[in-house]
Amino acid sequence: MFKKFTPSTDIAGQTPPKSSVQRSIRAAVLQQWKIGPETLEEIWPKKETLIHVKCREHISIYSVQSVPLFFQHFDGPFYPTLRLLHQYPSILPKVGIDRGAIRFLLAGAPMMCPGLTSAGGYLPPSEEALPKGTAVAVHAEGKEHAVGIGITELSTEDMRKLNKDVAVEVVTHLGDDLWALQTL
Amino acid sequence: MSSSDQQEPQAVRPLEVLYCQICTFPPEYCEFGSSLTRCKEWLQGAHSQLFDKYYSDEALQSKIGTLSLEAQAKLEKDSAKKEAKAEAKADAALKKKMASQVSIKRIERNKRKHVTAIHGLEAFDIELKKAAKFLAQKFATGASVTKNAQGQDEIVVQGDVSDDVLELIEGGAGPLKGVPADNVVIIEEKKKKAVE
Ligand SMILES: [Zn+2]
């Protein structure tokens, strides 16, 4: 999503949404992430204005005090930025890729099922299965911090069952152009 | 995790994550970047314990994990290639930078009025908007970033301030840092007799 993203040409404008819209964004984030209102208050205090950074191809980045905190594609789920996820690793459910898949992910490739179902990969147990379309933290074999953030293209149960094709579409990863954008 | 009725009113503390000063990744991912040699040098100097954690013989053995030895060897080879490529690219970028020129042009608007157009600062990683603001304050005049006839961005300052701008750039004042004096030229543009 942030391949060849150039702030000077790909950002259309920065505006603060109406306060009613800000409230509904806050509610949506609280509902979508595993996060309490107190923690969200630390990240995005109510007295701080959220800025909507409108980008090309219906990407919206939201920032507080010039720091990008989360983003959205069309009206899809809200994804934290990878730096925010590193600070609060439990806000998204986890999947894991094996070591061999890391360099493909870092090149922007989608993650195929075998990268997650192999011995070095990780999928949540059946009782915590994730449906298709879930925003996930993508961790990597032998690493402490997430390497990227993605959205499931299959339910995690189907990833195991089918074990082929795209499992997770990667929306942001270490070293992409959103990672490079530390302030806006 | 047992679910209890007790609400946790306290905020979760953010994790403090160390990032590599060279490649910006968490150090555990430096091996996938394009500057591993410099990353390792930095980590060894700044956080020697972490360096041992990631690069000791045991760490190097265990991190291979489920990857086959051939795949690991390929990864290392790719990493070295990437690094060489990145260095060559950085060299080329530096050369290009050193060859590019900043021009300060005095433009006559009418008999008495001049503006000063400064072109090419962005090649030296100077933020044009910040620089324009700085110049406006410095000279208590108007300054803006506009597109020239060729569609390139330049800074236009009201008034003839070309010599002062040259001095500021040479002195590396404020946001105007990083332009070698040899790369700056002053050009004077006479207004052609207007056909009215
Ligand atoms: Zn590094």
Side-chain angles (χ1 to χ4, degrees), chain B residues 86-96:
Chain B
E87 261 165 40
K89 207 172 150 193
D91 271 356
L94 186 70
K95 261 195 205 127
K96 194 175 165 206

Side-chain angles (χ1 to χ4, degrees), chain A residues 37-39, chain B residues 6-12:
Chain A
E38 302 78 19
T39 308
Chain B
Q6 252 187 320
Q7 277 296 107
E8 284 247 329
Q10 249 153 40
V12 177

